[in-house]
Amino acid sequence: MLKLIKGATVYAPEKLGVKDVLIAADKICAVEDHIELNGNVEVEVIDGTGKVLTPGFIDSHEHITGGGGEGGFKTRTPEATLSGLTRYGITTVVGCIGTDGIGRDMCALVAKAHALEEEGVSTYIYSGSYQVPVHTLTDSLMKDIMMIDKVIGVGEIAMSDHRSSQPTFEEMARIVSDIRVGGMLSGKAGIINIHLGDSERCMDLIERIVDETEIPITQFLPTHVNRNEMLFQKSIEYAKRGGYVDFTGNEDIDYWETICDEVRVCNGIKRMLDAGVDSGLMTISSDGQGSLPIFSKEGEYLGIGVGKASCLLKEVKECVERTNIPLEIAVKTITSNPADALKLANKGRIAVGKDADFVLLSEDLVIDTVIAKGQTMVVGGEPIVWGTFEEKK
Ligand code: ZN
């Protein structure tokens, strides 16, 4: 029941220096310079010497039931697996449906979130769908967020995209109000996760709601802000107003920069910091299990890939190594920032009373050990706990 991580350099995410961290069951119960346990208490000691300890990563946008389908049924992508999260340090995931809100539904999303939770990670979901009127589990969004524990907001709703249902101002304002009030009444974030497409309208609709209604800007978590230069520039101005912005990470970072004007995450975060954006407003998510059409340099369609959760740490590592952003700032984007945006009070920080979710990394930021809710999931970079039907490999 007790675990003691000794002598790791702790990023809580702020840098605390070398500390011992004591875990009792699924909670952090002490963070001290030196912790010695006397008597006959049984404790598992994990040596953190020369290693970096961060909170477990939070992926705020992942298609856990699979996504895709945009190239016909055979392009539907597979569901998320336990080790597909834990081996990359993700201990908390927020599931959403994607473009296909018919072949994937809310019942399946709730069931999948429960499955991953039973297997060992923490899960939440967004109610609703890409399309408007949003698909719900009960007869209303407000009832979904108030009565279903897993629901913390609505999303991903598409706008400024040819695949969206072209939501109007009135439709969006109603959705936003419903989820916000339902969130207030149930003590949850009531966040609106918005998929931003490639069109020039960018985040106009969100800004109109912020300007013309009483809804605060922090109610929104727009994602894919780095998908093109034009949208990114508008996102800088949006974040300077105090809005959260979510970058979509990439598994193959170099590839995407060469085929379109997607903004490399590390460069984007650096540019936002240089422009004076609050470092607490930026998050990175994986868009994991979504479909990724692959093209040659000449623009020829080569096939379809699947988004992976591995990109969170890759992007943070790039921030540190390529753009010299301090680790304690970079790692906030996948720990305390999403926890704050989503109002997950026990997540995203290493402090007494918080959930025992950790990633222990080598000095060059390679995953060694992952602990989720006090359970060791990964050792030496390899999963030791597997999902129910996973092939161990
Ligand atoms: Zn999307």
Side-chain angles (χ1 to χ4, degrees), residues 61 63 130 156 163 195-196 223-224 227 287:
H61 184 108
H63 302 284
Y130 219 70
E156 65 173 319
R163 294 162 294 179
H195 159 105
L196 294 168
T223 187
H224 315 320
R227 72 182 306 144
D287 207 6

Side-chain angles (χ1 to χ4, degrees), residues 92-291:
T92 301
V93 66
V94 188
C96 58
I97 299 177
T99 315
D100 177 5
I102 300 295
R104 315 272 185 193
D105 71 3
M106 281 300 300
C107 289
L109 188 62
V110 173
K112 180 65 186 183
H114 279 294
L116 287 168
E117 181 92 41
E118 285 174 15
E119 289 178 337
V121 291
S122 300
T123 59
Y124 302 91
I125 57 171
Y126 301 121
S127 179
S129 48
Y130 219 70
Q131 285 82 23
V132 168
V134 289
H135 305 170
T136 52
L137 193 67
T138 66
D139 57 16
S140 79
L141 261 184
M142 208 185 281
K143 203 185 278 185
D144 274 15
I145 191 167
M146 288 181 67
M147 297 300 148
I148 301 164
D149 285 352
K150 294 269 174 221
V151 176
I152 55 168
V154 62
E156 65 173 319
I157 302 176
M159 62 173 64
S160 308
D161 193 298
H162 63 96
R163 294 162 294 179
S164 79
S165 48
Q166 313 299 336
T168 63
F169 171 81
E170 285 74 18
E171 283 173 318
M172 278 309 298
R174 174 62 55 85
I175 290 169
V176 172
S177 320
D178 283 355
I179 203 73
R180 177 168 179 272
V181 175
M184 287 167 62
L185 292 171
S186 53
K188 296 175 181 177
I191 200 94
I192 299 102
N193 188 237
I194 300 279
H195 159 105
L196 294 168
D198 266 326
S199 104
E200 313 181 336
R201 290 185 290 166
C202 298
M203 42 226 312
D204 291 356
L205 193 47
I206 302 178
E207 294 194 293
R208 232 191 110 192
I209 292 170
V210 173
D211 291 338
E212 296 179 27
T213 74
E214 297 75 25
I215 308 287
I217 196 167
T218 47
Q219 207 66 42
F220 296 90
L221 181 61
T223 187
H224 315 320
V225 298
N226 53 317
R227 72 182 306 144
N228 65 50
E229 179 60 32
M230 175 182 57
L231 173 61
F232 183 71
Q233 286 182 18
K234 292 210 174 171
S235 302
I236 297 178
E237 295 312 311
Y238 176 84
K240 281 169 78 175
R241 293 181 63 184
Y244 287 109
V245 282
D246 185 47
F247 291 77
T248 302
N250 283 315
E251 161 73 13
D252 187 349
I253 299 175
D254 293 322
Y255 166 77
W256 290 97
E257 207 180 42
T258 54
I259 64 153
C260 58
D261 72 338
E262 182 159 326
V263 176
R264 202 173 180 106
V265 173
C266 63
N267 294 338
I269 289 178
K270 181 83 170 83
R271 283 169 64 188
M272 285 215 178
L273 289 170
D274 290 348
V277 170
D278 181 337
S279 68
L281 293 173
M282 291 174 268
T283 63
I284 307 174
S285 65
S286 73
D287 207 6
Q289 306 305 120
S291 62

